[in-house]
């Protein structure tokens, strides 16, 4: 299965084994946005959400993705909101993918969640699936080769990021009332790769969710990190997600 279609299917993520998202659709070209480069500054205030303009996603493509996901079961789980001061845990363990050429540093209490976030196998395209069930923090990673024929229309990380975010906010997404809270340019600390970070919020099954899309450009591939947590845990979760993504290293 080629890169874009695989990502559309595999970006079906489950929050605490209960919330299903089918994210990503065909990218429509959007007006350029001017954003200042940030280095994951410690500003965890929650800005006012802005409504995302309605887009016209490729309906046949989205319908195909939805058809492939329609048999996925969605169990329900209650989640307790956690409050308190922001604290980033030490990233004391390393997770790898492939032949060890992809590495992420994660907190000690994070575990390999392959087969646990989504037992249906829809997330198999994500080579790293990790997080903490106790903290309701989840993160997945995959990459797509720029040489993939279906990626040919994508000419920049801005377009790649926009393509990912568009489906999350489209009428075909199960995430209801999706709004973009903020978008920023980023440069990862470890790899010095550049990319885009988008923070969204929405509702699924009566639960308020905060969802993060990190799109990063390498020499030959686009890298995609998707992370999510209950909205009430945004500050702690975002600080941890930023630290984990900043630790990303690719050796090929």
């Amino acid at each position: 299965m080629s890169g874009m279609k695989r990502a559309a299917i595999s970006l079906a993520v489950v929050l605490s084994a209960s919330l299903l998202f089918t994210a990503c659709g065909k990218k429509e070209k959007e007006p350029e946005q001017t954003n200042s480069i940030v280095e994951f500054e410690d500003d965890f205030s929650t800005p006012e959400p802005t409504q995302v303009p309605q887009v016209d996603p490729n309906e046949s493509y989205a319908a195909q993705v939805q058809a492939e996901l329609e048999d996925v079961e969605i169990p329900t789980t209650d989640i307790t909101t956690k409050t308190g001061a922001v604290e980033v845990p030490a990233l004391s363990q390393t997770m790898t993918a492939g032949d060890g050429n992809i590495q992420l540093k994660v907190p000690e209490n994070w575990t390999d969640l392959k087969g646990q976030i989504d037992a249906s196998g829809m997330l198999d395209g994500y080579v790293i699936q990790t997080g903490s069930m106790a903290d309701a923090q989840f993160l997945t990673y995959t990459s797509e080769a720029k040489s993939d024929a279906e990626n040919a229309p994508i000419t920049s990380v801005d377009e790649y990021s926009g393509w990912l975010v568009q489906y999350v906010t489209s009428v075909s997404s199960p995430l209801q009332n999706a709004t973009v809270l903020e978008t920023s340019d980023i440069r990862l600390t470890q790899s010095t790769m550049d990319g885009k970070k988008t923070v969204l919020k929405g509702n699924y099954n009566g639960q308020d969710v905060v969802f993060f899309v990190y799109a990063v450009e390498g020499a030959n591939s686009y890298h995609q990190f998707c992370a999510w947590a209950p909205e009430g845990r945004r500050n702690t979760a975002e600080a941890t997600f930023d630290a984990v993504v900043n630790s990303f290293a690719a050796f090929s």
Side-chain angles (χ1 to χ4, degrees):
M1 185 178 293
S2 56
M4 285 298 208
K5 185 178 178 185
R6 185 196 65 196
I9 295 173
S10 60
L11 190 53
V13 293
V14 183
L15 171 58
S16 193
S18 67
L19 302 186
L20 176 69
F21 298 91
T22 50
C24 296
K26 210 62 160 176
K27 174 69 179 70
E28 300 293 339
K29 191 165 183 63
E30 299 174 351
E32 282 186 81
Q33 296 183 2
T34 303
N35 300 302
S36 57
I37 294 180
V38 297
E39 302 268 351
F40 288 129
E41 297 176 356
D42 295 330
D43 178 7
F44 304 110
S45 60
T46 303
E48 290 295 323
T50 56
Q51 292 296 326
V52 174
Q54 291 296 317
V55 296
D56 183 17
N58 185 319
E59 293 182 359
S60 61
Y61 185 82
Q64 180 182 359
V65 173
Q66 288 299 102
E68 294 184 77
L69 295 175
E70 64 183 2
D71 294 328
V72 178
E73 282 191 49
I74 309 173
T76 57
T77 304
D78 291 328
I79 298 175
T80 303
T81 299
K82 184 177 182 180
T83 59
V86 173
E87 181 179 351
V88 179
L91 306 183
S92 56
Q93 61 173 318
T94 301
M95 289 196 169
T96 62
D99 296 326
N101 56 326
I102 297 295
Q103 292 187 1
L104 277 179
K105 299 285 188 180
V106 301
E108 183 178 6
N109 68 329
W110 281 28
T111 59
D112 183 353
L113 294 178
K114 286 183 179 178
Q116 298 180 57
I117 296 178
D118 176 31
S120 72
M122 289 297 182
L123 287 177
D124 286 351
Y126 278 88
V127 295
I128 293 179
Q129 303 171 35
T130 184
S132 167
M133 290 288 189
D135 294 334
Q137 296 176 359
F138 305 93
L139 181 144
T140 60
Y141 162 81
T142 191
S143 64
E144 299 185 76
K146 293 180 180 179
S147 60
D148 190 303
E150 289 192 23
N151 292 340
I154 302 299
T155 60
S156 69
V157 72
D158 284 19
E159 290 186 352
Y160 183 67
S161 174
W163 176 81
L164 297 174
V165 172
Q166 177 177 292
Y167 193 81
V168 181
T169 59
S170 75
V171 295
S172 300
S173 172
L175 183 63
Q176 300 174 355
N177 302 317
T179 56
V180 173
L181 297 177
E182 61 185 65
T183 300
S184 57
D185 294 333
I186 58 175
R187 175 165 293 163
L188 305 192
T189 303
Q190 178 65 31
S191 67
T192 69
M193 293 180 184
D194 291 326
K196 304 280 288 188
K197 170 188 172 184
T198 304
V199 185
L200 306 99
K201 65 175 289 186
N203 184 275
Y204 187 86
N205 200 26
Q207 297 188 34
D208 293 325
V209 180
V210 62
F211 192 83
F212 303 86
V213 177
Y214 302 84
V216 178
E217 184 173 15
N220 301 307
S221 301
Y222 291 114
H223 303 277
Q224 173 193 140
F225 305 83
C226 298
W228 64 100
E231 186 185 1
R233 300 187 182 186
R234 174 180 172 177
N235 287 359
T236 300
E238 182 172 10
T240 302
F241 294 151
D242 284 353
V244 170
V245 174
N246 255 324
S247 75
F248 173 70
F251 301 104
S252 66

